[in-house]
Amino acid sequence: MPVQQQSAPAAGRRWRPRPPVRKTLALVHIAASVALLGEVWGQLVLNLTATLTADGALAHAAYRLMWVLVVAGGIPLALTALASGIALGLGSPWGLARHYWVLAKLVLLIGVILFGALLFQPEAMADATRGGARPSGRGWEQVAVVSGQFVMVLTATALSVFKPRGRVRWRRS
């Protein structure tokens, strides 16, 4: 019996992963996104603890632990959620920029990453509280950053569940 060769995708035909690959991507994306929500919640609790405590040593320890959580959890989880989300968008009928809810999730996740990279500074806060010093007024700025991240991840989760209708209308020039 002759072996059939798969032809290259025709022009304009999109990549569609087979169901086991799509389901694995979905599993990775959901797990990373939910874990990221939990990691950001933990960051928020630690941030509030460090900001509200009168114990400088506790604040210092909380800020040091935040950095560990960012490196061990936040960064890999956010990048995994981003990569798997892009792969799912490219390989599904939803697309990356066809529906508002998918595009909004992409923008929100990029926002979470940028907030973390540009505004969240637990290592600087740990240095500021070294030796039991009282947390500075910047503590509330850090709480606001992590609160913003939490709201963004929670909103992206809600968009995944409710999938509001509406397609993005791109203007052609």
Side-chain angles (χ1 to χ4, degrees), residues 46-47 49-66 122 124-136:
L46 284 171
N47 232 313
T49 300
T51 302
L52 293 172
T53 186
D55 183 355
L58 176 60
H60 179 73
Y63 286 123
R64 298 240 0 227
L65 183 56
M66 280 183 242
M125 296 300 289
D127 290 343
T129 57
R130 188 178 310 266
R134 191 72 183 107
S136 68

Side-chain angles (χ1 to χ4, degrees), residues 107-109 111-112 115 145 147-157:
V107 169
L108 287 166
L109 186 53
V112 168
F115 264 49
V145 168
S147 296
Q149 287 181 307
F150 184 74
V151 168
M152 286 188 270
V153 177
L154 195 58
T155 302
T157 303

Side-chain angles (χ1 to χ4, degrees), residues 13-84:
R13 201 167 127 202
R14 298 169 29 122
W15 170 70
R16 296 270 193 240
R18 294 184 184 270
V21 173
R22 189 184 75 249
K23 288 179 180 183
T24 301
L25 279 172
L27 174 67
V28 168
H29 182 69
I30 292 166
S33 299
V34 170
L36 180 62
L37 181 62
E39 189 271 343
V40 173
W41 174 253
Q43 294 284 0
L44 183 57
V45 169
L46 284 171
N47 232 313
L48 284 169
T49 300
T51 302
L52 293 172
T53 186
D55 183 355
L58 176 60
H60 179 73
Y63 286 123
R64 298 240 0 227
L65 183 56
M66 280 183 242
W67 180 244
V68 172
L69 283 176
V70 166
V71 172
I75 294 170
L77 290 170
L79 294 177
T80 300
L82 181 63
S84 59

